[in-house]
Amino acid sequence: MSSRINIGFIGLSSKGGWASSAHESYLKNSSIYTIKAIANSTIESSKSSAEAFGVNKYYATSEELAQDPDIDTVVVSVKVPLHKSLIMPALLQGKNAIVEWPLGRNLQEAEELTQLARSKGVKTMVGLQGRQSSVVKKMKDIISSGKLGKILSTHLYAGGILWGPTIDESKSYIADIENGANMITVLGGHSLDAMCYVLGEFESLTATTHNARKTIELRDEKGNKIRDIPLTSHDQMSVSGVLTSGAYASAHLRGGSYKGTNLLWEVEGTHGELQVRGPNGHLQLSFPTLYASFDGEDMIEIAVHDEQDTHVNVGRAYDEFAKEGGLYPTWEDAVIRHRMIEAIYRSAQTGTKQTYKTTY
């Protein structure tokens, strides 16, 4: 890749949102990347965003953006059901590609995209930025060092904020499980990816999914109730099994936000323990606190000094993507995570233990 990476960005809105807070906030100060062009859902939106973010070129469609010879990498940060259709033109033009997690609505879409990217020889990254969390990396370092001894078990308990009693109209699509952006794929995908990144994949798993709430209250931008809509995305999920390392693992994920525990992740070894606590169940975008106990001593906080902002972990992923041999989640990693999620669904539907292929 050239010393400067030129980005075509699909889904960067001048009205705010994840793309502007997590991506543009990093990219605007980057010495590595330049946003060369923007394409949104309408030409008017594209023009507005280009003017707001100081970008010279804007397009009406992803096809037009993909044909721009000045662009070598295309970023897609839009609703999950549109991921595949919007990134396909870039792949066909041989552009490198960065897409938010989930990569597709389901495993089939993720596999199709990954196969095409591999056939074109392009570089890919998926937005599983929890791997860039300082806490996650510190846990991985401690475990790899052997300080905890043999890992015996791990337990994860997380709240999803969303998929609770109410939802904003702008996010209503996540209530429908068919759209692929649900509690299991988003909260589960990010948190279980961090767990598997640190401790290894499931050798086998058993899962239960449930809808404690059958409907969710839809609210307008002022917080007023519009109506109740069906909630087909699960708001409760538990999964347990044995990891490839031989350790036992369990997780309970639930929708909503609570006054009690929203994030608790524990790892137990023969010579020590780790514990992560935080007010937000989304490990990938929050900054929890890490505690450790070694050889029976009391738990102590392991200091991790981080800038606490939405763009931090996303920016670190961009930094790694720019390096030769950088450590970042590829689309092959995304396929493995989609396989795990499909195994969770199969187990919940059949009531049987399931496995999935843990390598690409």
Side-chain angles (χ1 to χ4, degrees):
M1 302 179 75
S2 66
S3 58
R4 195 82 187 178
I5 300 173
N6 295 323
I7 284 178
F9 206 114
I10 301 173
L12 179 57
S13 174
S14 59
K15 297 179 180 180
W18 176 254
S20 61
S21 63
H23 290 261
E24 197 275 337
S25 293
Y26 160 82
L27 293 170
K28 68 182 179 183
N29 296 315
S30 174
S31 61
I32 305 168
Y33 295 91
T34 301
I35 301 177
K36 283 287 188 179
I38 292 173
N40 290 339
S41 56
T42 66
I43 190 65
E44 292 79 14
S45 173
S46 299
K47 180 181 179 182
S48 174
S49 293
E51 292 173 347
F53 299 115
V55 176
N56 293 328
K57 291 190 281 189
Y58 57 90
Y59 296 102
T61 67
S62 60
E63 288 83 1
E64 292 175 359
L65 180 141
Q67 291 170 9
D68 187 330
D70 291 336
I71 292 170
D72 50 57
T73 300
V74 174
V75 177
V76 170
S77 181
V78 299
K79 292 179 179 178
V80 177
L82 300 175
H83 284 184
K84 181 183 176 184
S85 63
L86 292 180
I87 198 60
M88 283 283 283
L91 298 178
L92 293 172
Q93 291 293 326
K95 310 288 188 183
N96 295 324
I98 299 173
V99 176
E100 287 287 358
W101 170 264
L103 179 55
R105 290 186 306 116
N106 49 44
L107 174 59
Q108 180 180 342
E109 286 193 358
E111 287 180 328
E112 289 173 357
L113 287 172
T114 304
Q115 288 166 8
L116 178 57
R118 287 169 70 89
S119 73
K120 293 292 184 178
V122 301
K123 190 174 181 180
T124 63
M125 181 168 73
V126 70
L128 286 168
Q129 67 272 8
R131 298 185 183 200
Q132 307 299 335
S133 161
S134 293
V135 164
V136 170
K137 290 192 287 187
K138 188 66 175 178
M139 293 175 75
K140 190 173 178 66
D141 288 345
I142 291 172
I143 291 167
S144 298
S145 74
K147 289 182 179 179
L148 296 188
K150 179 183 178 181
I151 303 303
L152 304 173
S153 60
T154 185
H155 313 279
L156 177 65
Y157 191 61
I161 303 177
L162 302 170
W163 308 284
T166 66
I167 193 169
D168 294 341
E169 189 174 17
S170 63
K171 296 184 176 68
S172 62
Y173 85 107
I174 71 171
D176 184 347
I177 194 171
E178 294 302 322
N179 286 327
N182 54 66
M183 189 196 72
I184 295 174
T185 59
V186 179
L187 177 64
H190 281 290
S191 57
L192 293 174
D193 183 72
M195 186 179 81
C196 292
Y197 179 63
V198 170
L199 294 165
E201 299 290 334
F202 281 95
E203 184 175 273
S204 62
L205 60 82
T206 304
T208 299
T209 59
H210 180 60
N211 278 91
R213 292 185 173 92
K214 310 302 181 185
T215 62
I216 192 168
E217 183 180 297
L218 188 66
R219 292 185 174 182
D220 63 22
E221 59 185 13
K222 295 182 180 179
N224 300 315
K225 179 177 179 178
I226 301 173
R227 64 183 181 279
D228 290 333
I229 61 173
L231 179 64
T232 58
S233 293
H234 301 104
D235 62 355
Q236 302 288 328
M237 188 275 280
S238 65
V239 61
S240 62
V242 176
L243 302 180
T244 54
S245 65
Y248 174 80
S250 69
H252 175 204
L253 310 178
R254 73 254 201 263
S257 185
Y258 299 85
K259 297 297 182 183
T261 302
N262 283 295
L263 176 63
L264 176 63
W265 179 13
E266 297 178 314
V267 179
E268 294 88 21
T270 54
H271 293 297
E273 304 169 37
L274 298 178
Q275 187 180 86
V276 178
R277 302 179 209 158
N280 186 327
H282 290 268
L283 185 67
Q284 76 280 5
L285 53 81
S286 62
F287 299 90
T289 305
L290 175 63
Y291 300 89
S293 167
F294 302 110
D295 297 317
E297 297 293 327
D298 291 339
M299 280 279 187
I300 58 170
E301 181 178 342
I302 303 298
V304 176
H305 302 290
D306 261 341
E307 178 189 358
Q308 298 197 5
D309 210 325
T310 308
H311 70 269
V312 172
N313 291 334
V314 173
R316 288 173 178 161
Y318 272 113
D319 288 344
E320 291 296 319
F321 185 75
K323 295 177 183 177
E324 188 70 34
L327 297 176
Y328 57 88
T330 65
W331 287 7
E332 287 84 357
D333 294 316
V335 167
I336 294 169
R337 199 56 52 232
H338 275 284
R339 287 174 184 162
M340 181 202 72
I341 290 168
E342 289 296 314
I344 287 171
Y345 285 140
R346 288 197 308 271
S347 177
Q349 290 164 0
T350 63
T352 60
K353 184 183 294 186
Q354 295 289 321
T355 61
Y356 60 96
K357 188 177 179 182
T358 59
T359 58
Y360 190 87

